[in-house]
Amino acid sequence: MSQFAKSFLPSTRGEWSSRATFVGVAILFLFVFPAWLSDSRLDLMSSYVAYAIVALGIAIAWGNGGMLVLGQGLFFGLGAYCVAMYLALVEVGGAPNLPQFMTLLGSQETLPALWKPFNNLWFALSAAVIVPVALAATLGTLIFRSRIRGPYFAILTQALAGAFGILLIGNITLINGTNGITTSFSEIFGLKLAEPEDQKVLYTICVIALGVAFLLSRQMLKSRYGRLLLAVRDAEDRVRFLGYSATKIKVIAFATSAGLAGVAGALFVLVGPKIISPASVGIIPSITMVVWVAVGGRASLAGAIAGAILVNTAEFEISSAAPEYWLYFQGALFIGVVAFAPQGLAGAATWLKSKITSRGDSGATSTAKPVEEAA
C-alpha cells in the first residue's frame, strides 16, 4: 500500500472510534430517520440539518478562532434570498415575467436589473456562497486590520445583522419587505418543493451537505492553519510577533463561517417553511444561532451540530405543548450552560468520559498489585 493511501487510514484507537461514530450517525440520518419520522417531522429535521451547517461555521469562528459572531443571520439571509429569488422566477415561468408580489403591488413594469441574473440556477447557487464569503472577507479585512476584537467585534457583527434586517424591511417593491419571498410551488433540479417524496430527496441532499461540510471543517482545523487559528485565539499578539498575519488567519475563518451560513440559507429555502423574510434573519436569529453552539459546545464541531439539532427539536416540542414557556426555557438553558458547563454538552461528555476512564485505570492498577506481589 502506498504512503498516500496509508495517510487516510486511522492510526490511533481514537481515530477509529471517531470514524465509526461518523458512520453510525450518517446511517442514522440517511436511513433511520427517513424510515421512522413522518413527512412533517422529516421536513423539520431537514431545517435542523441546515441550521447545523450554520453552527459549524460559528464553531470555527468562535470556538476555534475566538471571534464571537453575532451576525450570522446576515450571511444566512444572503444565501437564502439568492436561491429564493431564483425560485420566485421559476414560479412565474422565468424572466422577463415578474414575481407574484411585484404583480400584486403593481409598482414594477419590468423585471429589476438585480433580479435578472437570478434567472439562472447556477448563478443563484454560486451567489448564495460567493456573496456571503466576499462580504465577510471584505468586512473582516477592514475590521481585523484595525485590531477590533472581543466584545467590540461581536457588537459590530450584531449591528451589521440589524442593518441588514432593516434594509430588507425597507425594500418592499424589490424584495417584498416584511412579507418576504414565498417559494411554495417552485421546483429545482426537477424536484417539486411541495411533494413529500421530493422533500425526502432534498433532505438527503441536506444531510450529505452537512457531512461534507463537517469533514472539510474538521480537516481544516486539524491542518497547520487550524493550529495557527487556535494560536491566534489564545495569544494573538504573540502570533503577530512570530511573523504570521493574524488578520489573514482570522479573515479566512470568518469568511468560511459566512460561506457555511450561506449554504445553510440556500438549503433552508428549499426544505424549510418555503418562505424567507426578515423575521428569519437579523439580530434575534443570529443570537439564537450562537445559543445552539454554546449549548452543544463551541470548541467541538460535533457538539455544535448536536446543539443546533437538539435545541431546535426541544423548541418544537416545548412550543407545541406550552408555547408561552419556550423563551423561559431557552434563557434558563443558556444560563445553565454558561454557569455549569461552559464547554457545552461536548465538554461535559468529554469530562464524563475522562472520569470513567480514570476510574477504570485505577481499578486495573489496584487489581494488578496483588499479582505483582505474589510474583
Side-chain angles (χ1 to χ4, degrees):
M1 186 181 295
S2 65
Q3 190 64 32
F4 177 77
K6 287 181 179 179
S7 65
F8 288 92
L9 292 175
S11 57
T12 64
R13 185 178 178 181
E15 288 185 9
W16 278 108
S17 176
S18 63
R19 294 195 182 189
T21 302
F22 177 82
V23 172
V25 173
I27 292 173
L28 178 68
F29 276 87
L30 288 173
F31 300 105
V32 177
F33 283 164
W36 177 44
L37 298 176
S38 63
D39 290 341
S40 59
R41 289 298 181 103
L42 195 64
D43 286 349
L44 288 173
M45 184 57 69
S46 300
S47 300
Y48 303 162
V49 170
Y51 289 148
I53 298 177
V54 183
L56 274 179
I58 297 175
I60 292 173
W62 182 30
N64 292 271
M67 297 169 281
L68 178 55
V69 284
L70 293 179
Q72 291 303 90
L74 164 62
F75 307 116
F76 180 85
L78 285 172
Y81 269 93
C82 284
V83 175
M85 289 166 71
Y86 166 78
L87 294 175
L89 289 174
V90 169
E91 214 167 80
V92 294
N97 298 324
L98 298 179
Q100 291 181 352
F101 73 87
M102 290 185 186
T103 304
L104 293 174
L105 291 173
S107 57
Q108 297 281 352
E109 295 182 358
T110 59
L111 189 67
L114 176 65
W115 279 75
K116 291 180 180 179
F118 291 94
N119 192 51
N120 183 281
L121 171 60
W122 295 109
F123 178 88
L125 293 176
S126 300
V129 180
I130 294 173
V131 172
V133 169
L135 180 59
T138 303
L139 293 174
T141 301
L142 296 174
I143 293 170
F144 300 134
R145 271 185 184 173
S146 303
R147 307 287 178 91
I148 297 174
R149 52 189 174 184
Y152 302 103
F153 172 78
I155 293 171
L156 185 57
T157 57
Q158 189 178 60
L160 290 171
F164 180 63
I166 294 172
L167 178 65
L168 293 176
I169 293 172
N171 278 279
I172 299 175
T173 58
L174 189 62
I175 46 179
N176 207 21
T178 306
N179 297 320
I181 301 176
T182 304
T183 59
S184 301
F185 304 103
S186 300
E187 64 178 54
I188 186 169
F189 293 121
L191 300 172
K192 297 181 179 179
L193 304 187
E195 292 293 331
E197 290 302 317
D198 289 347
Q199 275 294 310
K200 290 182 179 180
V201 176
L202 291 171
Y203 165 79
T204 302
I205 293 173
C206 288
V207 173
I208 293 173
L210 175 60
V212 171
F214 172 79
L215 292 175
L216 292 177
S217 300
R218 185 171 178 268
Q219 189 61 36
M220 174 185 177
L221 296 178
K222 288 178 65 178
S223 67
R224 182 169 176 268
Y225 168 79
R227 294 191 292 272
L228 285 172
L229 184 62
L230 290 175
V232 169
R233 180 195 68 183
D234 297 334
E236 181 175 338
D237 293 333
R238 184 173 295 181
V239 171
R240 293 182 188 276
F241 178 76
L242 292 174
Y244 293 99
S245 173
T247 298
K248 289 182 180 178
I249 295 169
K250 295 171 78 172
V251 165
I252 291 172
F254 187 40
T256 300
S257 70
L260 289 171
V263 171
L267 292 173
F268 176 78
V269 170
L270 301 177
V271 300
K274 311 302 182 295
I275 182 172
I276 183 66
S277 68
S280 302
V281 301
I283 293 178
I284 294 178
S286 297
I287 294 175
T288 303
M289 293 170 185
V290 172
V291 172
W292 304 337
V293 179
V295 171
R298 66 179 184 270
S300 168
L301 296 178
I305 292 173
I309 293 175
L310 291 175
V311 172
N312 279 286
T313 302
E315 178 180 3
F316 175 77
E317 297 296 340
I318 295 174
S319 297
S320 300
E324 66 275 14
Y325 293 116
W326 164 245
L327 289 178
Y328 297 105
F329 176 81
Q330 185 182 41
L333 179 65
F334 184 69
I335 293 171
V337 167
V338 171
F340 303 107
Q343 297 303 317
L345 297 176
T350 302
W351 176 82
L352 183 61
K353 182 179 178 181
S354 65
K355 286 291 184 182
I356 295 173
T357 304
S358 62
R359 286 185 180 181
D361 292 341
S362 62
T365 304
S366 63
T367 55
K369 282 183 179 179
V371 176
E372 292 173 359
E373 291 173 359

